[in-house]
Amino acid sequence: MSALFLRRCRRSALAAAACAALLVQAPVTAAAPETAAAAPEPVVNSNLDAPLFYQLLLGEMELRSGEPGTAFQVILDAARRTQDEALFRRAVDIALQARAGDQALSATTAWRAALPRSTEALRYHVQLLMGLNRPTDAMEPLGALLLASPPAERAGLISSLPRLLQRSADHKQVATLLEQLLQPYLEAPETRTASRVAIGRMWLAADDKARAGALLNEAQKDDPTAPGPALLALDMLPTTPAVESVITGYLRQPKAEPMVRLAYVRALTNAQRYPDAVVQLEQLTREQPDIAPAWLTLGALHLELHHPQEADAALQRYVQVVQAGKPAAATPAASEGDDDDDDDAPVASGSSDRGLIQAWLLLSQAAEMRGDYTAAENWLAKVDSPQRALEVQTRRAVLLARQGKLREARALVQKVPERSPEDARAKLVAEAQVLRDVKRWREANEVLETANKRFPNDADLLYEQAMVEDKLNRADEMERLLRKVIEIKPDHHHAYNALGYSLADRNKRLPEAKALIEKALALSPGEPFITDSLGWVEYRLGRRPEALQLLRKAYSARPDPEIAAHLGEVLWVDGQRDEARKVLRDAKRKDSKNEVLGEVLARLKVDL
């Protein structure tokens, strides 16, 4: 058999299978047995005969010639005659590639008729019907699939249904249909929890939080050790804070799944509840010290909380875990003689490499925060990634600027190559960042003015310039820029917050300031810095109890020195001076150079 024939056969999966079948049928001369007891293995002949082979080859040739309709009919006819699942699957795939949904559905129906016990046919049928937005029709094959599934796998299948069914445009209709479908499984001990969670997810997708919450509570009572209710509660957490007790109750178990704790950490981080996230990560790293991503996240959060020593320890541990378990670089697989194929590429350990680069950058920041610029540069020197070149050079530039070498710092950023307009924009932002870091506000403003001329109506660039105008005490220009940001991007919550806070801090137009901040909080619920702004405007309005409640909430979620300064001032004025000293002392220990904190300490003349 010629090498050319083999190469052509490899052009499709079915043709490759045909070649293999022909080779199986080739006459084989058995070697002499080594012992008298050795018996020749029986030869299993393929069902592929010459007419079928010709039919498959014809179908593939029609497809390659741009005739998917004809190819579909040829392959489907072969599938019906042979009742071969692989051929039915191929017919469906051809129809899908041609975006012929009705043909794919007819092939799947024929597949089920020919092989009624095929769970794969049922899965295809459900997926196609959902893809065609026919959820009512999908319930029949879905019910059949549940019945055909082994009892041990049924709960897992039920748990996967919401992701499939959420493709529908009418979530309420699908939730009702799913509830009807799963009625027989709501009382069986092995499926009742998964069923309630699945139905709850669909009602949550339909925006019926009350029904989702009721099902969540029932599922949690059914089996407090199951992760499903906790995961549903995590989905509900942003809009229904009361369900957090379900999550924390599950995580108190000795055998709580690490993935649930990590998902909880993500939710806490998204809500900027960094101290709570750190508590969860510290427990996870004690119980599962080899889960590398937990150490990386823990280090990043400690940096956000101005804990450089703790960040350094966590990040160094991440590097150790990754490097201890990192596989050797893979080598290309040997070629099989087909010089037309180039699929045999090395397998790279990309995710671990990206994680290490991120860890080195964070370790550099931790060293910089401690004032150890030599260590910071040593960590940066480990990063060899063209994609992160600007970030690395920006960090180097900041180190130089802090040592008084501002000209060299700016030149370092300016020399980074530009491959696109996005690169040019990023370089201008980076240069402004370096200047802002060392409080060279006028030069930073000049860079941002250049950026805004080159990239007009860029909301983020305008916002950055507005923040610099504030530092230059140009309140009117800052307000003009922020209002332009809001005009360009009405959901820019930072712009609403910055404008409202600026008015409150200058004790001007306080009702308007409060309205702006409340708008920002509506766009970004729970954001600690916006909650802090709202507390500050309440203080300016003379509502001290409301101010204290908001500021305590913000500080609990994010113990940032600036939030601490506001809370400390209101506590001091309210007569709670011992607590005020403690809050302000902790803030000064974290960041003694914070401007807002310094202004508060000077204004109140607090003895720490």
Side-chain angles (χ1 to χ4, degrees), residues 402-440:
R402 289 189 176 184
Q403 297 173 73
K405 302 174 182 178
L406 187 59
R407 182 177 297 177
E408 295 95 320
R410 296 182 71 174
L412 201 63
V413 174
Q414 290 167 357
K415 288 178 182 176
V416 175
E418 295 178 18
R419 292 169 295 183
S420 67
E422 289 74 19
D423 290 343
R425 179 190 180 282
K427 282 175 59 177
L428 289 166
V429 172
E431 187 176 356
Q433 177 187 331
V434 171
L435 292 163
R436 290 176 62 177
D437 194 82
V438 290
K439 299 179 173 56
R440 301 294 288 264

Side-chain angles (χ1 to χ4, degrees), residues 105-133:
L105 196 58
S106 68
T108 309
T109 304
W111 186 356
R112 284 189 62 189
L115 299 164
R117 294 185 180 180
S118 170
T119 56
E120 188 176 8
L122 288 167
R123 289 180 186 276
Y124 265 75
H125 200 183
V126 172
Q127 290 170 352
L128 282 167
L129 287 167
M130 290 306 303
L132 294 168
N133 198 26

